Amino acid sequence: MEKIYKLTDDKEAAVFFGKHDENLKTIEQEFGIKTVARGENLTISGAEAAVKKASKVIDELFLILRKGGIVGHHEVLYAVKTAKENDDLNLHDILLDKIEVSSKRRFITPRTAGQKVYIDAIRDNDIVFAIGPAGTGKTYLAMAMAVNALKTQQVSRIILTRPAIEAGESLGYLPGDLYAKVFPYIRPLYDALYDMMEVDKVEMYLERGIIEIAPIAFMRGRTLNDAFIILDEAQNSTEEQMKMFLTRLGFDSKAVITGDITGIDLPKGKLSGLVQVKGILKDIKGIEFVYFSDKDVVRHELVQEIIRAYNKAAEK
């Protein structure tokens, strides 16, 4: 059996085929089919079942590409894997969910079904907990939603916070001002922020207090209205800190709390506030818990395998 696709132009072909035709090679290898590109035609051929399965993936990827979505090697790998596990392939709902930001990137999209669930949870709830391994986009997507909320005037400021447990929260002994003391702990948040906004705009917002960065200890006693608040690395917050943080939420605000409960760095005998809160708040309307797995990792393909290996070792 064979099926023929008509390509729009050379640019579309280059993007769809991938670097050194890696996307086509992946589809060939994973489905056991053959692809031939000649002129404006892309022909796939092979056993009927294999061609039908592969064509579902190709149909979805072309739809995403032609509607302005991103089709890179990760998207192809995810599409192939999803098609093998599930006959109902509907990638376009995920990869065309565009979060507008203010950088030259223009928009950011979820890249897995789990990430799509996460984005929708943030839209629909005032407090969202994102729990899962590194590389699943917990912090990055939360930052994208925060930048979008500021851009569309849903909030008037962004507040970024993180436990600074390596300093034992005793930041007064460190040299420099608050920014210099906190920066090493907040660096991942900065990296995401600079990826989504122009540098001069970030600096201006920091100076005006529109974007605020502080360790969680500095949240005490405040009421945070009209703000998008991100608590990152929440597995390293104590029970007291988590309760204190959650009760800071004011009117017209959203809070996203991210963490990996397999990477707790608290001293022995200290219970993680993120672990405790799962049982306390799970049934409250307006609070959503989203759990990521190794399937949602969007870093190098080997990172998924590494996470699986560590999980198996932990189970043993």
Side-chain angles (χ1 to χ4, degrees):
M1 180 182 179
E2 70 174 31
K3 185 172 180 178
I4 300 173
Y5 290 89
K6 279 207 176 299
L7 300 163
T8 305
D9 52 35
D10 289 343
K11 185 178 179 182
E12 180 180 82
V15 173
F16 187 81
F17 295 174
K19 189 177 181 181
H20 305 306
D21 292 342
E22 63 180 352
N23 294 342
L24 288 185
K25 290 174 183 175
T26 295
I27 292 170
E28 282 184 334
Q29 291 167 4
E30 295 294 334
F31 292 109
I33 63 166
K34 185 179 179 181
T35 66
V36 176
R38 187 171 290 118
E40 62 180 9
N41 292 336
L42 171 65
T43 304
I44 65 171
S45 59
E48 184 177 354
V51 169
K52 284 183 176 179
K53 203 86 166 174
S55 66
K56 281 187 179 181
V57 169
I58 295 171
D59 289 341
E60 281 287 304
L61 292 173
F62 269 127
L63 174 61
I64 292 161
L65 186 58
R66 288 168 180 172
K67 290 202 171 192
I70 297 168
V71 173
H73 194 51
H74 167 82
E75 284 72 28
V76 174
L77 288 170
Y78 185 71
V80 168
K81 185 178 177 182
T82 305
K84 284 186 166 185
E85 295 174 352
N86 188 352
D87 287 333
D88 299 322
L89 185 62
N90 190 8
L91 282 181
H92 59 272
D93 279 349
I94 300 170
L95 299 176
L96 289 175
D97 187 352
K98 299 177 181 179
I99 307 164
E100 290 188 14
V101 293
S102 51
S103 73
K104 292 177 182 177
R105 291 183 58 137
R106 301 192 316 279
F107 64 85
I108 288 163
T109 68
R111 298 174 72 186
T112 69
Q115 289 188 351
K116 170 65 173 167
V117 169
Y118 180 38
I119 291 302
D120 288 340
I122 294 174
R123 290 184 176 123
D124 297 339
N125 298 274
D126 287 338
I127 298 177
V128 174
F129 290 86
I131 300 172
T136 50
K138 303 184 299 295
T139 302
Y140 193 79
L141 289 173
M143 187 68 77
M145 293 297 285
V147 170
N148 177 264
L150 186 64
K151 176 184 172 72
T152 55
Q153 299 183 339
Q154 297 174 53
V155 298
S156 61
R157 56 183 173 154
I158 296 172
I159 297 171
L160 311 173
T161 186
R162 232 183 177 200
I165 66 159
E166 293 88 345
E169 297 288 2
S170 301
L171 299 175
Y173 291 100
L174 295 174
D177 58 13
L178 177 61
Y179 173 88
K181 293 172 182 178
V182 174
F183 183 77
Y185 307 102
I186 307 295
R187 182 60 188 265
L189 296 175
Y190 268 101
D191 290 343
L193 194 56
Y194 282 120
D195 201 29
M196 297 173 200
M197 299 180 73
E198 294 80 4
V199 174
D200 56 346
K201 185 173 281 190
V202 173
E203 300 301 332
M204 179 185 72
Y205 282 172
L206 285 168
E207 287 177 12
R208 295 183 180 179
I210 296 172
I211 297 176
E212 181 182 344
I213 297 175
I216 192 171
F218 284 68
M219 296 293 107
R220 193 173 300 279
R222 302 179 63 185
T223 301
L224 306 174
N225 294 317
D226 198 23
F228 196 114
I229 312 143
I230 299 173
L231 170 57
D232 195 34
E233 295 290 331
Q235 76 276 4
N236 289 329
S237 65
T238 63
E239 303 167 73
E240 298 81 6
Q241 286 174 335
M242 180 61 76
K243 181 182 177 182
M244 178 271 292
F245 172 80
L246 292 172
T247 53
R248 300 308 94 202
L249 193 70
F251 294 110
D252 301 315
S253 290
K254 278 185 182 285
V256 178
I257 300 96
T258 72
D260 177 5
I261 56 176
T262 66
I264 297 171
D265 298 316
L266 289 167
K268 285 185 179 179
K270 279 278 188 182
L271 179 64
S272 165
L274 185 60
V275 172
Q276 184 201 43
V277 83
K278 288 195 301 174
I280 295 174
L281 304 182
K282 63 181 180 179
D283 296 322
I284 297 180
K285 189 176 181 181
I287 299 177
E288 188 76 22
F289 286 82
V290 177
Y291 295 91
F292 291 98
S293 71
D294 55 82
K295 292 181 180 179
D296 298 300
V297 172
V298 292
R299 292 179 180 170
H300 194 287
E301 301 89 81
L302 285 176
V303 174
Q304 289 188 356
E305 299 302 324
I306 291 167
I307 291 170
R308 289 192 192 106
Y310 270 99
N311 288 340
K312 286 181 181 176
E315 288 170 6
K316 289 178 182 178

